[in-house]
Amino acid sequence: MKNTKIKNLAIIGRTKTLYQTTKILKEKGFNIKIIITSLPSDYDSITTNNFKNLAKKLNAKFFLTKNINDRKIQHQIKIANIELGISVNNPLLLSKKTLSMFKFGVLNLHAGDLPRYRGNATANWAILNDEKKIVLTVHKMDQELDSGDIVIQENFLINK
């Protein structure tokens, strides 16, 4: 993606991290065209309404869904000319067809050392397994759970 000007983004997922990232991306000049979220978990401080209001403020399409591969969502990705998806704490698997609709794919932020720690609570597992660090991974999603080419990984030391 070097030397490529990406304009149109889809935001996928939930949590305060994604909410704040969306606002930063908008400030940096990205065009947020679609926000796709699912019901928050019990520990999320950001609600569905927060994302819905943000979508309204950004003039973006908003979807609350249990099926991210729904044809309506795929249609919106296509007509909005979405070039890149940004995913954070998204509990839904994207199908190969849905992923293929993004010109440059979907980048996912995963709080775990991929491919070693997939799924949820990966930081917890690192601590329980006496790891010395927690790894934050950004990877290009494919249709498998927490799979795809790794873009970057950052290590954070675990201390008391």
Side-chain angles (χ1 to χ4, degrees):
M1 286 188 280
K2 273 189 175 175
N3 300 323
T4 302
K5 180 66 175 157
I6 296 171
K7 291 178 60 181
N8 298 329
L9 301 181
I11 301 301
I12 305 165
R14 54 193 185 168
T15 71
K16 186 176 181 179
T17 301
L18 181 62
Y19 186 85
Q20 291 174 328
T21 299
T22 303
K23 291 167 79 175
I24 292 168
L25 289 168
K26 181 63 178 172
E27 289 170 9
K28 298 282 184 185
F30 290 95
N31 193 8
I32 312 299
K33 304 277 277 195
I34 299 173
I35 295 177
I36 306 167
T37 192
S38 55
L39 292 174
S41 68
D42 292 340
Y43 60 86
D44 288 333
S45 61
I46 296 294
T47 67
T48 301
N49 281 336
N50 292 126
F51 278 108
K52 187 174 186 177
N53 292 335
L54 182 59
K56 189 174 185 176
K57 182 179 176 184
L58 300 177
N59 197 27
K61 293 283 185 186
F62 174 78
F63 294 94
L64 170 62
T65 187
K66 291 180 181 178
N67 179 11
I68 198 165
N69 301 303
D70 182 89
R71 290 194 340 211
K72 284 189 227 175
I73 294 173
Q74 290 175 337
H75 179 70
Q76 285 300 317
I77 292 167
K78 183 177 181 178
I79 66 170
N81 191 30
I82 301 298
E83 296 164 301
L84 182 68
I86 303 295
S87 169
V88 178
N89 205 306
N90 168 38
L92 308 171
L93 287 176
L94 281 73
S95 69
K96 188 173 185 174
K97 180 179 179 181
T98 300
L99 287 166
S100 73
M101 303 182 99
F102 296 87
K103 183 175 182 180
F104 297 110
V106 178
L107 295 179
N108 182 56
L109 175 65
H110 178 75
D113 185 3
L114 291 180
R116 291 181 60 220
Y117 290 110
R118 292 184 172 154
N120 276 329
T122 55
N124 300 8
W125 283 111
I127 292 167
L128 290 171
N129 290 334
D130 291 324
E131 301 283 350
K132 303 289 184 228
K133 63 187 177 193
I134 293 172
V135 180
L136 190 63
T137 303
V138 174
H139 66 102
K140 186 175 179 184
M141 292 177 77
D142 65 23
Q143 66 272 15
E144 302 298 323
L145 176 66
D146 293 329
S147 178
D149 294 339
I150 293 172
V151 176
I152 190 168
Q153 291 183 308
E154 289 287 328
N155 300 318
F156 297 88
L157 294 178
I158 298 172
N159 57 42
K160 296 183 192 243

